[in-house]
mmCIF file with all atom_site columns, all heavy atoms in Angstrom:
data_model
loop_
_atom_site.group_PDB
_atom_site.id
_atom_site.type_symbol
_atom_site.label_atom_id
_atom_site.label_alt_id
_atom_site.label_comp_id
_atom_site.label_asym_id
_atom_site.label_entity_id
_atom_site.label_seq_id
_atom_site.pdbx_PDB_ins_code
_atom_site.Cartn_x
_atom_site.Cartn_y
_atom_site.Cartn_z
_atom_site.occupancy
_atom_site.B_iso_or_equiv
_atom_site.pdbx_formal_charge
_atom_site.auth_seq_id
_atom_site.auth_comp_id
_atom_site.auth_asym_id
_atom_site.auth_atom_id
_atom_site.pdbx_PDB_model_num
ATOM 1   N N   . GLY A 1 1  ? 0.811  -1.204 0.007   1.00 98.00 ? 203 GLY A N   1
ATOM 2   C CA  . GLY A 1 1  ? -0.004 -0.009 0.007   1.00 98.00 ? 203 GLY A CA  1
ATOM 3   C C   . GLY A 1 1  ? 0.822  1.258  -0.006  1.00 98.00 ? 203 GLY A C   1
ATOM 4   O O   . GLY A 1 1  ? 0.289  2.342  -0.236  1.00 98.00 ? 203 GLY A O   1
ATOM 5   N N   . ARG A 1 2  ? 2.122  1.162  0.263   1.00 98.00 ? 204 ARG A N   1
ATOM 6   C CA  . ARG A 1 2  ? 2.995  2.321  0.306   1.00 98.00 ? 204 ARG A CA  1
ATOM 7   C C   . ARG A 1 2  ? 4.018  2.293  -0.812  1.00 98.00 ? 204 ARG A C   1
ATOM 8   O O   . ARG A 1 2  ? 4.436  3.359  -1.331  1.00 98.00 ? 204 ARG A O   1
ATOM 9   C CB  . ARG A 1 2  ? 3.750  2.430  1.632   1.00 98.00 ? 204 ARG A CB  1
ATOM 10  C CG  . ARG A 1 2  ? 2.808  2.591  2.818   1.00 98.00 ? 204 ARG A CG  1
ATOM 11  C CD  . ARG A 1 2  ? 3.592  2.887  4.107   1.00 98.00 ? 204 ARG A CD  1
ATOM 12  N NE  . ARG A 1 2  ? 4.491  1.752  4.469   1.00 98.00 ? 204 ARG A NE  1
ATOM 13  C CZ  . ARG A 1 2  ? 5.809  1.866  4.587   1.00 98.00 ? 204 ARG A CZ  1
ATOM 14  N NH1 . ARG A 1 2  ? 6.406  3.029  4.389   1.00 98.00 ? 204 ARG A NH1 1
ATOM 15  N NH2 . ARG A 1 2  ? 6.524  0.778  4.952   1.00 98.00 ? 204 ARG A NH2 1
ATOM 16  N N   . PHE A 1 3  ? 4.531  1.111  -1.210  1.00 98.00 ? 205 PHE A N   1
ATOM 17  C CA  . PHE A 1 3  ? 5.555  0.966  -2.228  1.00 98.00 ? 205 PHE A CA  1
ATOM 18  C C   . PHE A 1 3  ? 4.961  0.387  -3.500  1.00 98.00 ? 205 PHE A C   1
ATOM 19  O O   . PHE A 1 3  ? 3.998  -0.411 -3.462  1.00 98.00 ? 205 PHE A O   1
ATOM 20  C CB  . PHE A 1 3  ? 6.683  0.023  -1.751  1.00 98.00 ? 205 PHE A CB  1
ATOM 21  C CG  . PHE A 1 3  ? 7.539  0.559  -0.646  1.00 98.00 ? 205 PHE A CG  1
ATOM 22  C CD1 . PHE A 1 3  ? 7.249  1.723  0.052   1.00 98.00 ? 205 PHE A CD1 1
ATOM 23  C CD2 . PHE A 1 3  ? 8.690  -0.157 -0.273  1.00 98.00 ? 205 PHE A CD2 1
ATOM 24  C CE1 . PHE A 1 3  ? 8.041  2.187  1.060   1.00 98.00 ? 205 PHE A CE1 1
ATOM 25  C CE2 . PHE A 1 3  ? 9.491  0.298  0.747   1.00 98.00 ? 205 PHE A CE2 1
ATOM 26  C CZ  . PHE A 1 3  ? 9.170  1.473  1.441   1.00 98.00 ? 205 PHE A CZ  1
ATOM 27  N N   . THR A 1 4  ? 5.526  0.750  -4.662  1.00 98.00 ? 206 THR A N   1
ATOM 28  C CA  . THR A 1 4  ? 5.147  0.219  -5.936  1.00 98.00 ? 206 THR A CA  1
ATOM 29  C C   . THR A 1 4  ? 6.368  -0.158 -6.759  1.00 98.00 ? 206 THR A C   1
ATOM 30  O O   . THR A 1 4  ? 7.237  0.684  -6.962  1.00 98.00 ? 206 THR A O   1
ATOM 31  C CB  . THR A 1 4  ? 4.290  1.215  -6.711  1.00 98.00 ? 206 THR A CB  1
ATOM 32  O OG1 . THR A 1 4  ? 3.129  1.597  -5.940  1.00 98.00 ? 206 THR A OG1 1
ATOM 33  C CG2 . THR A 1 4  ? 3.817  0.598  -8.035  1.00 98.00 ? 206 THR A CG2 1
ATOM 34  N N   . ILE A 1 5  ? 6.416  -1.384 -7.240  1.00 98.00 ? 207 ILE A N   1
ATOM 35  C CA  . ILE A 1 5  ? 7.478  -1.849 -8.120  1.00 98.00 ? 207 ILE A CA  1
ATOM 36  C C   . ILE A 1 5  ? 6.976  -1.777 -9.559  1.00 98.00 ? 207 ILE A C   1
ATOM 37  O O   . ILE A 1 5  ? 5.832  -2.145 -9.859  1.00 98.00 ? 207 ILE A O   1
ATOM 38  C CB  . ILE A 1 5  ? 8.000  -3.258 -7.759  1.00 98.00 ? 207 ILE A CB  1
ATOM 39  C CG1 . ILE A 1 5  ? 9.240  -3.602 -8.545  1.00 98.00 ? 207 ILE A CG1 1
ATOM 40  C CG2 . ILE A 1 5  ? 6.896  -4.300 -7.942  1.00 98.00 ? 207 ILE A CG2 1
ATOM 41  C CD1 . ILE A 1 5  ? 9.936  -4.889 -8.044  1.00 98.00 ? 207 ILE A CD1 1
ATOM 42  N N   . SER A 1 6  ? 7.861  -1.325 -10.470 1.00 97.00 ? 208 SER A N   1
ATOM 43  C CA  . SER A 1 6  ? 7.515  -1.264 -11.889 1.00 97.00 ? 208 SER A CA  1
ATOM 44  C C   . SER A 1 6  ? 8.779  -1.401 -12.711 1.00 97.00 ? 208 SER A C   1
ATOM 45  O O   . SER A 1 6  ? 9.881  -1.397 -12.178 1.00 97.00 ? 208 SER A O   1
ATOM 46  C CB  . SER A 1 6  ? 6.797  0.047  -12.205 1.00 97.00 ? 208 SER A CB  1
ATOM 47  O OG  . SER A 1 6  ? 7.608  1.172  -11.954 1.00 97.00 ? 208 SER A OG  1
ATOM 48  N N   . ARG A 1 7  ? 8.635  -1.506 -14.008 1.00 95.00 ? 209 ARG A N   1
ATOM 49  C CA  . ARG A 1 7  ? 9.787  -1.595 -14.884 1.00 95.00 ? 209 ARG A CA  1
ATOM 50  C C   . ARG A 1 7  ? 9.515  -0.923 -16.224 1.00 95.00 ? 209 ARG A C   1
ATOM 51  O O   . ARG A 1 7  ? 8.372  -0.756 -16.654 1.00 95.00 ? 209 ARG A O   1
ATOM 52  C CB  . ARG A 1 7  ? 10.220 -3.061 -15.111 1.00 95.00 ? 209 ARG A CB  1
ATOM 53  C CG  . ARG A 1 7  ? 9.194  -3.857 -15.916 1.00 95.00 ? 209 ARG A CG  1
ATOM 54  C CD  . ARG A 1 7  ? 9.578  -5.311 -15.963 1.00 95.00 ? 209 ARG A CD  1
ATOM 55  N NE  . ARG A 1 7  ? 8.599  -6.124 -16.718 1.00 95.00 ? 209 ARG A NE  1
ATOM 56  C CZ  . ARG A 1 7  ? 8.339  -7.378 -16.516 1.00 95.00 ? 209 ARG A CZ  1
ATOM 57  N NH1 . ARG A 1 7  ? 9.012  -8.035 -15.603 1.00 95.00 ? 209 ARG A NH1 1
ATOM 58  N NH2 . ARG A 1 7  ? 7.417  -7.991 -17.240 1.00 95.00 ? 209 ARG A NH2 1
ATOM 59  N N   . ASP A 1 8  ? 10.615 -0.532 -16.909 1.00 94.00 ? 210 ASP A N   1
ATOM 60  C CA  . ASP A 1 8  ? 10.559 0.030  -18.244 1.00 94.00 ? 210 ASP A CA  1
ATOM 61  C C   . ASP A 1 8  ? 11.563 -0.775 -19.062 1.00 94.00 ? 210 ASP A C   1
ATOM 62  O O   . ASP A 1 8  ? 12.762 -0.535 -18.989 1.00 94.00 ? 210 ASP A O   1
ATOM 63  C CB  . ASP A 1 8  ? 10.915 1.518  -18.218 1.00 94.00 ? 210 ASP A CB  1
ATOM 64  C CG  . ASP A 1 8  ? 10.745 2.180  -19.555 1.00 94.00 ? 210 ASP A CG  1
ATOM 65  O OD1 . ASP A 1 8  ? 10.851 1.507  -20.600 1.00 94.00 ? 210 ASP A OD1 1
ATOM 66  O OD2 . ASP A 1 8  ? 10.522 3.394  -19.593 1.00 94.00 ? 210 ASP A OD2 1
ATOM 67  N N   . ASN A 1 9  ? 11.064 -1.703 -19.830 1.00 91.00 ? 211 ASN A N   1
ATOM 68  C CA  . ASN A 1 9  ? 11.950 -2.618 -20.576 1.00 91.00 ? 211 ASN A CA  1
ATOM 69  C C   . ASN A 1 9  ? 12.834 -1.880 -21.603 1.00 91.00 ? 211 ASN A C   1
ATOM 70  O O   . ASN A 1 9  ? 13.983 -2.262 -21.817 1.00 91.00 ? 211 ASN A O   1
ATOM 71  C CB  . ASN A 1 9  ? 11.124 -3.698 -21.302 1.00 91.00 ? 211 ASN A CB  1
ATOM 72  C CG  . ASN A 1 9  ? 10.506 -4.707 -20.357 1.00 91.00 ? 211 ASN A CG  1
ATOM 73  O OD1 . ASN A 1 9  ? 10.641 -4.597 -19.125 1.00 91.00 ? 211 ASN A OD1 1
ATOM 74  N ND2 . ASN A 1 9  ? 9.841  -5.688 -20.895 1.00 91.00 ? 211 ASN A ND2 1
ATOM 75  N N   . ALA A 1 10 ? 12.276 -0.811 -22.205 1.00 92.00 ? 212 ALA A N   1
ATOM 76  C CA  . ALA A 1 10 ? 13.041 -0.080 -23.203 1.00 92.00 ? 212 ALA A CA  1
ATOM 77  C C   . ALA A 1 10 ? 14.254 0.600  -22.568 1.00 92.00 ? 212 ALA A C   1
ATOM 78  O O   . ALA A 1 10 ? 15.249 0.863  -23.268 1.00 92.00 ? 212 ALA A O   1
ATOM 79  C CB  . ALA A 1 10 ? 12.146 0.945  -23.889 1.00 92.00 ? 212 ALA A CB  1
ATOM 80  N N   . LYS A 1 11 ? 14.159 0.952  -21.323 1.00 95.00 ? 213 LYS A N   1
ATOM 81  C CA  . LYS A 1 11 ? 15.266 1.626  -20.605 1.00 95.00 ? 213 LYS A CA  1
ATOM 82  C C   . LYS A 1 11 ? 16.097 0.658  -19.737 1.00 95.00 ? 213 LYS A C   1
ATOM 83  O O   . LYS A 1 11 ? 16.995 1.071  -19.038 1.00 95.00 ? 213 LYS A O   1
ATOM 84  C CB  . LYS A 1 11 ? 14.726 2.744  -19.715 1.00 95.00 ? 213 LYS A CB  1
ATOM 85  C CG  . LYS A 1 11 ? 14.069 3.854  -20.498 1.00 95.00 ? 213 LYS A CG  1
ATOM 86  C CD  . LYS A 1 11 ? 13.575 4.951  -19.555 1.00 95.00 ? 213 LYS A CD  1
ATOM 87  C CE  . LYS A 1 11 ? 12.939 6.083  -20.335 1.00 95.00 ? 213 LYS A CE  1
ATOM 88  N NZ  . LYS A 1 11 ? 12.437 7.176  -19.438 1.00 95.00 ? 213 LYS A NZ  1
ATOM 89  N N   . ASN A 1 12 ? 15.738 -0.634 -19.754 1.00 94.00 ? 214 ASN A N   1
ATOM 90  C CA  . ASN A 1 12 ? 16.421 -1.650 -18.944 1.00 94.00 ? 214 ASN A CA  1
ATOM 91  C C   . ASN A 1 12 ? 16.441 -1.265 -17.453 1.00 94.00 ? 214 ASN A C   1
ATOM 92  O O   . ASN A 1 12 ? 17.425 -1.472 -16.780 1.00 94.00 ? 214 ASN A O   1
ATOM 93  C CB  . ASN A 1 12 ? 17.850 -1.877 -19.443 1.00 94.00 ? 214 ASN A CB  1
ATOM 94  C CG  . ASN A 1 12 ? 17.913 -2.392 -20.876 1.00 94.00 ? 214 ASN A CG  1
ATOM 95  O OD1 . ASN A 1 12 ? 17.030 -3.113 -21.309 1.00 94.00 ? 214 ASN A OD1 1
ATOM 96  N ND2 . ASN A 1 12 ? 18.982 -2.052 -21.557 1.00 94.00 ? 214 ASN A ND2 1
ATOM 97  N N   . THR A 1 13 ? 15.349 -0.718 -17.005 1.00 96.00 ? 215 THR A N   1
ATOM 98  C CA  . THR A 1 13 ? 15.284 -0.150 -15.644 1.00 96.00 ? 215 THR A CA  1
ATOM 99  C C   . THR A 1 13 ? 14.088 -0.671 -14.859 1.00 96.00 ? 215 THR A C   1
ATOM 100 O O   . THR A 1 13 ? 12.951 -0.708 -15.408 1.00 96.00 ? 215 THR A O   1
ATOM 101 C CB  . THR A 1 13 ? 15.244 1.376  -15.675 1.00 96.00 ? 215 THR A CB  1
ATOM 102 O OG1 . THR A 1 13 ? 16.368 1.873  -16.401 1.00 96.00 ? 215 THR A OG1 1
ATOM 103 C CG2 . THR A 1 13 ? 15.263 1.974  -14.295 1.00 96.00 ? 215 THR A CG2 1
ATOM 104 N N   . VAL A 1 14 ? 14.329 -1.052 -13.600 1.00 96.00 ? 216 VAL A N   1
ATOM 105 C CA  . VAL A 1 14 ? 13.243 -1.382 -12.677 1.00 96.00 ? 216 VAL A CA  1
ATOM 106 C C   . VAL A 1 14 ? 13.221 -0.316 -11.570 1.00 96.00 ? 216 VAL A C   1
ATOM 107 O O   . VAL A 1 14 ? 14.278 0.195  -11.182 1.00 96.00 ? 216 VAL A O   1
ATOM 108 C CB  . VAL A 1 14 ? 13.435 -2.793 -12.110 1.00 96.00 ? 216 VAL A CB  1
ATOM 109 C CG1 . VAL A 1 14 ? 14.716 -2.919 -11.326 1.00 96.00 ? 216 VAL A CG1 1
ATOM 110 C CG2 . VAL A 1 14 ? 12.226 -3.185 -11.244 1.00 96.00 ? 216 VAL A CG2 1
ATOM 111 N N   . TYR A 1 15 ? 12.022 0.059  -11.107 1.00 97.00 ? 217 TYR A N   1
ATOM 112 C CA  . TYR A 1 15 ? 11.864 1.151  -10.157 1.00 97.00 ? 217 TYR A CA  1
ATOM 113 C C   . TYR A 1 15 ? 11.192 0.624  -8.882  1.00 97.00 ? 217 TYR A C   1
ATOM 114 O O   . TYR A 1 15 ? 10.481 -0.365 -8.889  1.00 97.00 ? 217 TYR A O   1
ATOM 115 C CB  . TYR A 1 15 ? 10.967 2.246  -10.722 1.00 97.00 ? 217 TYR A CB  1
ATOM 116 C CG  . TYR A 1 15 ? 11.492 2.834  -12.012 1.00 97.00 ? 217 TYR A CG  1
ATOM 117 C CD1 . TYR A 1 15 ? 10.994 2.411  -13.237 1.00 97.00 ? 217 TYR A CD1 1
ATOM 118 C CD2 . TYR A 1 15 ? 12.450 3.837  -12.009 1.00 97.00 ? 217 TYR A CD2 1
ATOM 119 C CE1 . TYR A 1 15 ? 11.433 2.950  -14.427 1.00 97.00 ? 217 TYR A CE1 1
ATOM 120 C CE2 . TYR A 1 15 ? 12.898 4.411  -13.184 1.00 97.00 ? 217 TYR A CE2 1
ATOM 121 C CZ  . TYR A 1 15 ? 12.387 3.952  -14.350 1.00 97.00 ? 217 TYR A CZ  1
ATOM 122 O OH  . TYR A 1 15 ? 12.861 4.528  -15.551 1.00 97.00 ? 217 TYR A OH  1
ATOM 123 N N   . LEU A 1 16 ? 11.438 1.335  -7.777  1.00 98.00 ? 218 LEU A N   1
ATOM 124 C CA  . LEU A 1 16 ? 10.704 1.141  -6.557  1.00 98.00 ? 218 LEU A CA  1
ATOM 125 C C   . LEU A 1 16 ? 10.247 2.515  -6.070  1.00 98.00 ? 218 LEU A C   1
ATOM 126 O O   . LEU A 1 16 ? 11.088 3.290  -5.547  1.00 98.00 ? 218 LEU A O   1
ATOM 127 C CB  . LEU A 1 16 ? 11.538 0.425  -5.480  1.00 98.00 ? 218 LEU A CB  1
ATOM 128 C CG  . LEU A 1 16 ? 10.770 0.072  -4.218  1.00 98.00 ? 218 LEU A CG  1
ATOM 129 C CD1 . LEU A 1 16 ? 9.698  -1.004 -4.473  1.00 98.00 ? 218 LEU A CD1 1
ATOM 130 C CD2 . LEU A 1 16 ? 11.722 -0.415 -3.124  1.00 98.00 ? 218 LEU A CD2 1
ATOM 131 N N   . GLN A 1 17 ? 8.981  2.811  -6.238  1.00 98.00 ? 219 GLN A N   1
ATOM 132 C CA  . GLN A 1 17 ? 8.405  4.087  -5.714  1.00 98.00 ? 219 GLN A CA  1
ATOM 133 C C   . GLN A 1 17 ? 8.046  3.874  -4.265  1.00 98.00 ? 219 GLN A C   1
ATOM 134 O O   . GLN A 1 17 ? 7.261  2.953  -3.946  1.00 98.00 ? 219 GLN A O   1
ATOM 135 C CB  . GLN A 1 17 ? 7.188  4.466  -6.538  1.00 98.00 ? 219 GLN A CB  1
ATOM 136 C CG  . GLN A 1 17 ? 6.494  5.761  -6.045  1.00 98.00 ? 219 GLN A CG  1
ATOM 137 C CD  . GLN A 1 17 ? 7.366  6.968  -6.240  1.00 98.00 ? 219 GLN A CD  1
ATOM 138 O OE1 . GLN A 1 17 ? 7.921  7.175  -7.285  1.00 98.00 ? 219 GLN A OE1 1
ATOM 139 N NE2 . GLN A 1 17 ? 7.457  7.817  -5.176  1.00 98.00 ? 219 GLN A NE2 1
ATOM 140 N N   . MET A 1 18 ? 8.585  4.718  -3.383  1.00 98.00 ? 220 MET A N   1
ATOM 141 C CA  . MET A 1 18 ? 8.426  4.545  -1.950  1.00 98.00 ? 220 MET A CA  1
ATOM 142 C C   . MET A 1 18 ? 7.694  5.793  -1.403  1.00 98.00 ? 220 MET A C   1
ATOM 143 O O   . MET A 1 18 ? 8.284  6.888  -1.410  1.00 98.00 ? 220 MET A O   1
ATOM 144 C CB  . MET A 1 18 ? 9.788  4.377  -1.260  1.00 98.00 ? 220 MET A CB  1
ATOM 145 C CG  . MET A 1 18 ? 10.637 3.296  -1.901  1.00 98.00 ? 220 MET A CG  1
ATOM 146 S SD  . MET A 1 18 ? 12.388 3.403  -1.422  1.00 98.00 ? 220 MET A SD  1
ATOM 147 C CE  . MET A 1 18 ? 12.264 2.910  0.296   1.00 98.00 ? 220 MET A CE  1
ATOM 148 N N   . ASN A 1 19 ? 6.496  5.632  -0.924  1.00 98.00 ? 221 ASN A N   1
ATOM 149 C CA  . ASN A 1 19 ? 5.666  6.744  -0.344  1.00 98.00 ? 221 ASN A CA  1
ATOM 150 C C   . ASN A 1 19 ? 5.423  6.483  1.118   1.00 98.00 ? 221 ASN A C   1
ATOM 151 O O   . ASN A 1 19 ? 5.572  5.388  1.628   1.00 98.00 ? 221 ASN A O   1
ATOM 152 C CB  . ASN A 1 19 ? 4.385  6.841  -1.101  1.00 98.00 ? 221 ASN A CB  1
ATOM 153 C CG  . ASN A 1 19 ? 4.555  7.175  -2.572  1.00 98.00 ? 221 ASN A CG  1
ATOM 154 O OD1 . ASN A 1 19 ? 5.433  7.894  -2.977  1.00 98.00 ? 221 ASN A OD1 1
ATOM 155 N ND2 . ASN A 1 19 ? 3.618  6.688  -3.395  1.00 98.00 ? 221 ASN A ND2 1
ATOM 156 N N   . SER A 1 20 ? 5.039  7.560  1.802   1.00 98.00 ? 222 SER A N   1
ATOM 157 C CA  . SER A 1 20 ? 4.699  7.483  3.232   1.00 98.00 ? 222 SER A CA  1
ATOM 158 C C   . SER A 1 20 ? 5.804  6.796  4.025   1.00 98.00 ? 222 SER A C   1
ATOM 159 O O   . SER A 1 20 ? 5.539  5.889  4.843   1.00 98.00 ? 222 SER A O   1
ATOM 160 C CB  . SER A 1 20 ? 3.381  6.786  3.435   1.00 98.00 ? 222 SER A CB  1
ATOM 161 O OG  . SER A 1 20 ? 2.317  7.474  2.758   1.00 98.00 ? 222 SER A OG  1
ATOM 162 N N   . LEU A 1 21 ? 7.038  7.187  3.824   1.00 98.00 ? 223 LEU A N   1
ATOM 163 C CA  . LEU A 1 21 ? 8.202  6.495  4.426   1.00 98.00 ? 223 LEU A CA  1
ATOM 164 C C   . LEU A 1 21 ? 8.185  6.662  5.925   1.00 98.00 ? 223 LEU A C   1
ATOM 165 O O   . LEU A 1 21 ? 7.810  7.686  6.486   1.00 98.00 ? 223 LEU A O   1
ATOM 166 C CB  . LEU A 1 21 ? 9.477  7.058  3.813   1.00 98.00 ? 223 LEU A CB  1
ATOM 167 C CG  . LEU A 1 21 ? 9.782  6.521  2.385   1.00 98.00 ? 223 LEU A CG  1
ATOM 168 C CD1 . LEU A 1 21 ? 10.810 7.395  1.713   1.00 98.00 ? 223 LEU A CD1 1
ATOM 169 C CD2 . LEU A 1 21 ? 10.288 5.085  2.499   1.00 98.00 ? 223 LEU A CD2 1
ATOM 170 N N   . LYS A 1 22 ? 8.667  5.598  6.579   1.00 98.00 ? 224 LYS A N   1
ATOM 171 C CA  . LYS A 1 22 ? 8.746  5.457  8.049   1.00 98.00 ? 224 LYS A CA  1
ATOM 172 C C   . LYS A 1 22 ? 10.184 5.262  8.433   1.00 98.00 ? 224 LYS A C   1
ATOM 173 O O   . LYS A 1 22 ? 10.978 4.724  7.643   1.00 98.00 ? 224 LYS A O   1
ATOM 174 C CB  . LYS A 1 22 ? 7.906  4.313  8.527   1.00 98.00 ? 224 LYS A CB  1
ATOM 175 C CG  . LYS A 1 22 ? 6.450  4.347  8.099   1.00 98.00 ? 224 LYS A CG  1
ATOM 176 C CD  . LYS A 1 22 ? 5.717  3.102  8.547   1.00 98.00 ? 224 LYS A CD  1
ATOM 177 C CE  . LYS A 1 22 ? 4.276  3.120  8.124   1.00 98.00 ? 224 LYS A CE  1
ATOM 178 N NZ  . LYS A 1 22 ? 3.567  1.867  8.559   1.00 98.00 ? 224 LYS A NZ  1
ATOM 179 N N   . PRO A 1 23 ? 10.574 5.594  9.681   1.00 98.00 ? 225 PRO A N   1
ATOM 180 C CA  . PRO A 1 23 ? 11.960 5.346  10.153  1.00 98.00 ? 225 PRO A CA  1
ATOM 181 C C   . PRO A 1 23 ? 12.359 3.899  10.001  1.00 98.00 ? 225 PRO A C   1
ATOM 182 O O   . PRO A 1 23 ? 13.553 3.608  9.717   1.00 98.00 ? 225 PRO A O   1
ATOM 183 C CB  . PRO A 1 23 ? 11.914 5.789  11.616  1.00 98.00 ? 225 PRO A CB  1
ATOM 184 C CG  . PRO A 1 23 ? 10.874 6.879  11.660  1.00 98.00 ? 225 PRO A CG  1
ATOM 185 C CD  . PRO A 1 23 ? 9.807  6.419  10.680  1.00 98.00 ? 225 PRO A CD  1
ATOM 186 N N   . GLU A 1 24 ? 11.431 2.964  10.187  1.00 97.00 ? 226 GLU A N   1
ATOM 187 C CA  . GLU A 1 24 ? 11.774 1.548  10.053  1.00 97.00 ? 226 GLU A CA  1
ATOM 188 C C   . GLU A 1 24 ? 12.031 1.109  8.628   1.00 97.00 ? 226 GLU A C   1
ATOM 189 O O   . GLU A 1 24 ? 12.504 -0.050 8.391   1.00 97.00 ? 226 GLU A O   1
ATOM 190 C CB  . GLU A 1 24 ? 10.687 0.670  10.641  1.00 97.00 ? 226 GLU A CB  1
ATOM 191 C CG  . GLU A 1 24 ? 9.267  0.969  10.178  1.00 97.00 ? 226 GLU A CG  1
ATOM 192 C CD  . GLU A 1 24 ? 8.517  1.874  11.121  1.00 97.00 ? 226 GLU A CD  1
ATOM 193 O OE1 . GLU A 1 24 ? 9.094  2.882  11.616  1.00 97.00 ? 226 GLU A OE1 1
ATOM 194 O OE2 . GLU A 1 24 ? 7.337  1.590  11.384  1.00 97.00 ? 226 GLU A OE2 1
ATOM 195 N N   . ASP A 1 25 ? 11.834 1.984  7.618   1.00 98.00 ? 227 ASP A N   1
ATOM 196 C CA  . ASP A 1 25 ? 12.233 1.712  6.254   1.00 98.00 ? 227 ASP A CA  1
ATOM 197 C C   . ASP A 1 25 ? 13.712 1.951  6.019   1.00 98.00 ? 227 ASP A C   1
ATOM 198 O O   . ASP A 1 25 ? 14.216 1.661  4.935   1.00 98.00 ? 227 ASP A O   1
ATOM 199 C CB  . ASP A 1 25 ? 11.426 2.543  5.260   1.00 98.00 ? 227 ASP A CB  1
ATOM 200 C CG  . ASP A 1 25 ? 9.936  2.208  5.291   1.00 98.00 ? 227 ASP A CG  1
ATOM 201 O OD1 . ASP A 1 25 ? 9.598  1.021  5.355   1.00 98.00 ? 227 ASP A OD1 1
ATOM 202 O OD2 . ASP A 1 25 ? 9.097  3.140  5.262   1.00 98.00 ? 227 ASP A OD2 1
ATOM 203 N N   . THR A 1 26 ? 14.409 2.522  7.002   1.00 98.00 ? 228 THR A N   1
ATOM 204 C CA  . THR A 1 26 ? 15.845 2.834  6.845   1.00 98.00 ? 228 THR A CA  1
ATOM 205 C C   . THR A 1 26 ? 16.631 1.538  6.635   1.00 98.00 ? 228 THR A C   1
ATOM 206 O O   . THR A 1 26 ? 16.520 0.614  7.442   1.00 98.00 ? 228 THR A O   1
ATOM 207 C CB  . THR A 1 26 ? 16.366 3.580  8.091   1.00 98.00 ? 228 THR A CB  1
ATOM 208 O OG1 . THR A 1 26 ? 15.725 4.828  8.190   1.00 98.00 ? 228 THR A OG1 1
ATOM 209 C CG2 . THR A 1 26 ? 17.886 3.758  7.990   1.00 98.00 ? 228 THR A CG2 1
#
């Protein structure tokens, strides 16, 4: 519910969008 994984094959890149970050995500 806070993080989203995605990819862009044309750019050979995978992403991790991290929202509502908490100290325990360190």
